[in-house]
């Protein structure tokens, strides 16, 4: 059984989902792939994990790095889970490229990996912000793809102190 709750963030309403094992989803309301892993029979209930997530988000949106991580339980394919595990190793305030993630996967498996396949897995991340897909940028340093919208991606990076050159930001945002 999945349960849902919500959080009002400075970047818009966030929907939270959890099961008995931990957080299963965190989406900006209406984003691409919104609630894609949410059970149809979910019900609204304020679980302890939701209180932890709200505390984590309060700390994060205040501009501080949270010093704890609530239990996460994302559903996905084995490849997606491998990518999401790498996302969780990206330090607060730093970025990585899709190609660098593909190279890490290739080093582990001994097989070449496609940055485009990595991008697909990053885009399907069901636990935005806590599994920091917003920290993944294009090889040329531009903001690319973010299911919550590039304006939110830019705001999250700025919150963490990551400043990208204005030309790499506006060029990509206006294309969407």
């Amino acid at each position: 059984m999945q349960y849902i709750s919500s959080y009002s963030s400075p970047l818009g309403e966030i929907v939270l989902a959890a099961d008995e094992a931990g957080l299963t989803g965190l989406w900006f309301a209406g984003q691409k792939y919104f609630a894609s892993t949410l059970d149809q029979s979910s019900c609204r209930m304020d679980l302890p994990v939701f209180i932890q997530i709200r505390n984590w988000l309060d700390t994060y949106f205040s501009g501080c790095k949270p010093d704890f991580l609530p239990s996460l339980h994302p559903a996905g394919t084995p490849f997606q889970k491998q990518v999401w595990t790498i996302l969780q190793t990206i330090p607060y305030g730093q970025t990585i490229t899709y190609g660098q993630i593909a190279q890490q996967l290739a080093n582990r498996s001994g097989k070449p990996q496609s940055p485009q396949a990595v991008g697909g897995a990053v885009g399907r991340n069901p636990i935005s912000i806590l599994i920091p897909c917003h920290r993944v940028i294009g090889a040329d340093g531009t903001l690319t793809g973010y299911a919550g919208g590039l304006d939110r991606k830019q705001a999250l990076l700025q919150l963490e102190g990551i400043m990208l050159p204005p030309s790499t930001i506006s060029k990509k945002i206006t294309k969407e």
Side-chain angles (χ1 to χ4, degrees):
M1 178 73 163
Q2 281 189 322
Y3 304 93
I4 58 171
S5 188
S6 60
Y7 176 84
S8 293
S9 85
L11 300 177
E13 192 69 17
I14 292 176
V15 175
L16 308 169
D19 61 17
E20 294 78 14
L23 189 71
T24 59
L26 188 153
W27 306 275
F28 286 102
Q31 77 171 48
K32 189 174 184 180
Y33 309 121
F34 175 75
S36 61
T37 58
L38 189 60
D39 290 343
Q40 296 295 332
S41 62
S42 61
C43 65
R44 198 166 276 282
M45 182 182 282
D46 209 24
L47 302 175
V49 71
F50 292 144
I51 295 166
Q52 293 174 340
I53 298 302
R54 284 191 207 98
N55 289 336
W56 192 99
L57 291 168
D58 285 344
T59 301
Y60 181 82
F61 282 115
S62 74
C64 298
K65 177 186 174 189
D67 61 357
F68 65 98
L69 187 63
S71 179
L72 305 180
H73 191 225
T77 67
F79 178 77
Q80 289 171 332
K81 288 180 178 183
Q82 287 177 350
V83 171
W84 302 337
T85 296
I86 291 172
L87 294 181
Q88 292 177 72
T89 68
I90 307 168
Y92 180 95
Q94 295 183 31
T95 60
I96 190 171
T97 67
Y98 297 95
Q100 289 171 318
I101 295 171
Q103 187 59 56
Q104 285 185 36
L105 291 168
N107 291 345
R108 291 178 186 180
S109 70
K111 299 176 186 174
Q113 299 293 325
S114 159
Q116 291 79 12
V118 167
V122 169
R124 293 277 185 172
N125 170 21
I127 304 178
S128 186
I129 305 173
L130 279 82
I131 299 178
C133 52
H134 61 279
R135 296 181 189 149
V136 183
I137 60 173
D140 60 357
T142 56
L143 292 185
T144 59
Y146 185 65
L150 289 178
D151 54 339
R152 287 188 180 124
K153 182 172 186 167
Q154 178 183 359
L156 293 170
L157 292 174
Q158 287 177 339
L159 183 69
E160 294 183 21
I162 300 169
M163 299 298 169
L164 298 172
S167 62
T168 62
I169 296 168
S170 61
K171 169 173 80 172
K172 289 291 184 177
I173 290 177
T174 57
K175 286 186 177 180
E176 291 221 340

